[in-house]
């Protein structure tokens, strides 16, 4: 059986082919420009996108999908203090799963090339509305606009395209048909015609997070959809709008392409409903993608036994400082890392390990306090001017972060205290600057847990070798998504790399310029490794997509 691809495949074949090349070369490539400049997107794109976003506020979200007889839910509260009050259609788990299941057969039978063409058109449609999407990400997550545009828009689309490329590679690894012939003695040879079908697992569930609702959801959403699985998208109650917009445009494209739009469904939950858990345990749900807390991720892995579960949880991201030939650059780089989005990134460094006797630098020997103070000074410079600082810090995403800031004020010795900042454009915004707390290596009870938010620890160790022991033990037990090292000694760099390999964490060395440990580039950098407790999968590799479908063959005599 030869697949006749949909015209959308031909329309986007060049983009797909370039993405297929990019995942093998691992160099820099992006399909979606990350600058929101009018020179890139046109003079009216920003205003049009903001107007489209504002048109949703205080209204019923325009989404024609199964619901519970007109029920609506509204659960979002903007970190910037902007009234959202968007009301979303609400349905129960059985309604959503039934609608998704009914849409599966035609989508499965369409074949890989048709599915990838339709998915690429969805990405194209989202890209055409990227300013609308970026505003939704900004005002639900607390990210500053440029970051919301880049991480929530362009980079999220790149990660989605990357997932499509890996999935297409895996689905087309085997031929669709084959002829088989075997000699059979003096008689006629045995001849068979064989067909190999890409068969999806079933309904997929994507459980979104509050901080990066698109970036963390798009890889799983599109990896499942392109491999033939209908997807139920369950947003975080605090960040529904970005994924509602995503579902709206996905359904629009699916319908235009001749498919049941119920291949992609939104599943907003009412307060206290626990819809994510109900869906995750539904017998028809065969794939679950989740980003969020370790506690809930562990629960999903233990209990959603009928499904393939992909989790990205929490970890202890660690920096080992041994020495540096650019002290100012090191401090600036780490200061930016700790400041960006108020540290509310799963990749932001928490534990900074520094020998208590200090380190050698291009500015001479620096004591422990001078190293910690240098990083604190860099943070202070970035946040000193509120008008400029808030464009880096954004706003605090939820009360849990504020509670941890209150708690950490009672431990260790402050190197840099967190401050409350009034946002010049949004007076109701909740803004806090980062804090850095001095600890000793013996304070394991404090630094061996994750403190999500603008909280980091400068930890005094006996030596760099001791720092590496702490890296091994803490990351080995709790996991991490990133690690960094600063050293002028190749032996230390090699030893740190060996430790990182041992505990399965991605390592960056001597970052002093415009590359930061908490940022990763699609098509080149892997996000998460699946090799430690912080995540059981990686964005993106073959393992992330290959278990979302199976090959089922049929044979007939010729």
């Amino acid at each position: 059986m030869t697949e006749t691809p949909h015209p959308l495949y031909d329309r986007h074949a060049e983009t797909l082919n370039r993405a297929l090349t990019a995942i093998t070369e691992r160099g820099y490539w992006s399909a979606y420009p990350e600058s929101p400049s009018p020179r890139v997107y046109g003079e009216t794109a920003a205003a049009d996108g903001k107007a489209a976003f504002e048109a949703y506020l205080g209204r019923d979200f325009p989404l024609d999908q199964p619901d519970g007889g007109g029920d609506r839910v509204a659960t979002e509260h903007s970190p910037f203090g902007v009234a959202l009050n968007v009301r979303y259609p609400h349905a129960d788990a059985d309604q959503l799963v039934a609608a998704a299941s009914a849409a599966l057969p035609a989508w499965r039978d369409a074949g890989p090339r048709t599915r990838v063409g339709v998915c690429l058109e969805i990405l194209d449609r989202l890209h055409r509305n990227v300013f609308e999407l970026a505003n939704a990400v900004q005002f639900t997550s607390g990210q500053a606009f440029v970051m919301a545009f880049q991480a929530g828009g362009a980079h999220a689309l790149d990660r989605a395209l990357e997932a499509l490329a890996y999935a297409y590679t895996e689905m087309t690894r085997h031929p669709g048909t084959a002829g088989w012939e075997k000699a059979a003695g003096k008689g006629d040879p045995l001849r068979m015609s064989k067909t190999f079908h890409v068969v999806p697992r079933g309904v997929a569930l994507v459980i979104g997070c509050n901080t990066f609702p698109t970036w963390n959801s798009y890889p799983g959403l599109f990896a499942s959809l392109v491999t033939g699985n209908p997807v139920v998208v369950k947003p975080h109650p605090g960040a529904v709008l970005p994924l509602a917009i995503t579902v709206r445009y996905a359904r629009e494209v699916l319908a235009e392409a001749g498919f049941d739009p119920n291949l992609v469904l939104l599943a907003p939950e009412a307060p206290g409903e626990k819809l994510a858990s109900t869906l995750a345990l539904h017998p028809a749900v065969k794939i679950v993608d989740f980003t969020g807390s370790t506690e809930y991720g562990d629960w999903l892995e233990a209990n959603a036994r009928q499904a393939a579960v992909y989790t990205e949880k929490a970890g202890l991201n660690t920096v080992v400082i041994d020495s540096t030939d650019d002290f100012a650059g090191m401090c600036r780089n780490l200061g930016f890392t700790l400041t960006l989005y108020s540290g509310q990134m799963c990749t932001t460094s928490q534990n900074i390990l520094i020998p208590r006797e200090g380190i050698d630098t291009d500015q001479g020997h620096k004591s422990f306090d001078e190293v910690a103070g240098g990083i604190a000074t860099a943070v202070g410079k970035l946040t000193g001017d509120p008008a400029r600082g808030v464009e880096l810090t954004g706003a605090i995403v939820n009360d849990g972060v504020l509670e941890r800031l209150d708690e950490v004020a009672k431990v260790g010795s402050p190197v840099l205290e967190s401050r409350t900042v009034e946002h010049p454009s949004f007076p109701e915004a909740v803004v806090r600057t980062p804090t850095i707390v001095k600890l000793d290596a013996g304070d394991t009870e404090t630094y061996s847990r994750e403190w999500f938010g603008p909280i980091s620890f400068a930890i005094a160790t006996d030596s760099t070798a001791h720092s590496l022991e702490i890296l091994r033990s803490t990351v080995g037990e709790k996991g991490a998504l990133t690690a960094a090292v600063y050293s002028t000694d190749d032996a230390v760099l090699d030893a740190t790399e060996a430790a990182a390999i041992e505990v399965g964490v991605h390592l960056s060395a001597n970052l002093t310029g415009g590359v930061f440990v908490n940022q990763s580039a699609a098509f080149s950098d892997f996000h998460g490794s699946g090799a430690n407790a912080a995540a059981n999968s990686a964005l993106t590799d073959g393992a992330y997509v290959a278990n979302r479908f199976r090959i089922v063959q049929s044979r007939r005599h010729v």
Side-chain angles (χ1 to χ4, degrees):
M1 183 176 66
T2 301
E3 177 188 351
T4 302
H6 197 278
L8 291 176
Y9 176 86
D10 295 327
R11 179 183 299 178
H12 298 292
E14 183 178 348
T15 299
L16 175 63
N17 289 333
R18 186 62 188 87
L20 292 170
T21 300
I23 63 173
T24 60
E25 292 178 342
R26 311 305 299 183
Y28 172 76
W29 180 68
S30 172
Y32 307 101
E34 67 179 5
S35 170
S37 168
R39 292 189 297 273
V40 177
Y41 285 95
E43 293 295 331
T44 67
D48 292 345
K50 185 176 182 181
F53 159 73
E54 291 175 343
Y56 293 123
L57 305 185
R59 294 181 171 87
D60 289 349
F61 188 84
L63 197 63
D64 181 18
Q65 68 170 44
D67 59 32
D71 290 346
R72 294 264 165 175
V73 294
T75 55
E76 295 161 302
H77 301 279
S78 173
F80 288 103
V82 174
L84 300 174
N85 299 321
V86 187
R87 299 179 292 273
Y88 303 97
H90 180 260
D92 65 30
D94 287 336
Q95 288 175 304
L96 294 166
V97 169
S101 299
L104 186 152
W107 183 241
R108 174 198 62 209
D109 296 343
R113 298 211 308 180
T114 294
R115 290 196 299 268
V116 79
V118 175
C119 287
L120 286 163
E121 178 67 14
I122 295 173
L123 296 187
D124 184 71
R125 189 72 53 88
L126 290 168
H127 187 226
R128 279 187 265 158
N129 295 279
V130 68
F131 282 89
E132 174 186 337
L133 194 62
N135 276 275
V137 171
Q138 176 185 6
F139 287 102
T140 55
S141 72
Q143 295 176 31
F145 176 75
V146 171
M147 183 176 184
F149 184 91
Q150 293 177 342
H155 298 170
L157 292 169
D158 273 333
R159 283 295 186 186
L161 177 56
E162 180 183 50
L164 292 183
Y166 272 98
Y168 185 78
T169 297
E170 294 298 330
M171 287 189 294
T172 57
R173 185 178 298 281
H174 308 289
T177 60
W180 182 87
E181 183 173 311
K182 178 183 178 182
K186 295 181 179 180
D188 292 335
L190 301 173
R191 296 186 181 93
M192 301 291 292
S193 173
K194 303 184 181 185
T195 303
F196 305 97
H197 301 274
V198 174
V199 178
R201 293 181 67 101
V203 176
L205 171 65
V206 173
I207 304 174
C209 66
N210 201 168
T211 48
F212 289 88
T214 54
W215 197 97
N216 279 116
S217 297
Y218 278 13
L221 194 169
F222 284 94
S224 286
L225 186 62
V226 77
T227 51
N229 307 278
V231 183
V232 176
V233 180
K234 209 300 291 183
H236 188 283
V240 182
L241 187 55
L243 290 175
I245 291 170
T246 301
V247 169
R248 179 190 180 190
Y249 287 122
R251 291 173 62 84
E252 182 179 281
V253 170
L254 286 162
E256 291 171 4
F259 293 99
D260 187 339
N262 289 334
L263 286 162
V264 181
L265 291 154
L266 187 71
E269 65 180 338
E273 182 183 10
K274 297 185 178 180
L275 181 58
S277 298
T278 303
L279 283 165
L281 299 183
H282 196 288
V285 171
K286 300 300 183 183
I287 301 169
V288 177
D289 285 275
F290 167 74
T291 300
S293 71
T294 296
E295 181 182 13
Y296 192 63
D298 289 346
W299 183 89
L300 287 169
E301 291 172 8
N303 291 279
R305 303 306 297 268
Q306 85 291 350
V309 178
Y310 301 85
T311 61
E312 180 197 303
K313 298 173 286 189
L316 304 177
N317 301 321
T318 302
V319 180
V320 173
I321 299 180
D322 169 75
S323 56
T324 180
D325 59 7
D326 184 0
F327 181 74
M330 179 188 76
C331 292
R332 284 195 304 270
N333 190 280
L334 288 174
F336 183 89
T337 291
L338 302 183
T339 302
L340 186 63
Y341 188 31
S342 301
Q344 298 170 121
M345 302 172 67
C346 58
T347 50
T348 297
S349 306
Q350 173 180 297
N351 296 337
I352 304 173
L353 306 174
I354 309 165
R356 68 180 77 254
E357 299 303 323
I359 66 170
D360 292 331
T361 80
D362 58 315
Q363 299 180 18
H365 189 81
K366 295 285 186 180
S367 68
F368 173 93
D369 287 339
E370 288 174 319
V371 176
I375 299 168
T377 297
V379 172
K381 288 180 178 179
L382 291 170
T383 58
D385 178 1
R388 296 175 59 187
V390 294
E391 297 306 318
L392 289 178
T393 63
I396 298 300
V397 70
N398 58 44
D399 290 342
V401 176
L402 298 177
E403 291 167 4
R404 284 187 289 276
L405 278 169
D406 289 340
E407 183 182 359
V408 82
K410 302 170 187 175
V411 303
S413 302
V415 179
L416 179 69
E417 293 184 313
S418 178
R419 295 182 294 109
T420 299
V421 175
E422 183 174 337
H423 198 294
S425 300
F426 303 102
E428 300 300 316
V430 180
V431 181
R432 300 289 188 274
T433 61
T435 183
I436 301 174
V437 177
K438 178 180 177 180
L439 296 177
D440 186 82
D443 297 320
T444 54
E445 187 175 341
T446 298
Y447 66 76
S448 63
R449 55 170 275 207
E450 190 203 22
W451 296 71
F452 183 78
I455 298 166
S456 57
F457 301 111
I459 302 167
T461 68
D462 295 339
S463 63
T464 296
H466 187 205
S467 296
L468 292 180
E469 289 178 14
I470 294 173
L471 170 70
R472 280 190 173 91
S473 62
T474 57
V475 177
E477 180 182 357
K478 300 295 181 67
L481 294 173
T482 65
V485 59
Y486 289 88
S487 182
T488 58
D489 186 337
D490 285 342
V492 170
L493 296 177
D494 291 344
T496 309
E497 186 164 347
I501 291 170
E502 182 180 323
V503 296
V505 63
H506 301 311
L507 177 69
S508 299
N510 293 327
L511 299 182
T512 56
V515 176
F516 304 94
V517 68
N518 52 336
Q519 296 177 327
S520 63
F523 303 105
S524 185
D525 295 320
F526 293 101
H527 174 77
S529 66
N532 66 54
N536 71 359
S537 55
L539 304 180
T540 298
D541 58 13
Y544 185 71
V545 297
N547 199 29
R548 297 172 191 263
F549 67 93
R550 285 289 185 262
I551 300 295
V552 177
Q553 74 171 37
S554 64
R555 304 184 296 178
R556 299 183 184 183
H557 280 291
V558 176

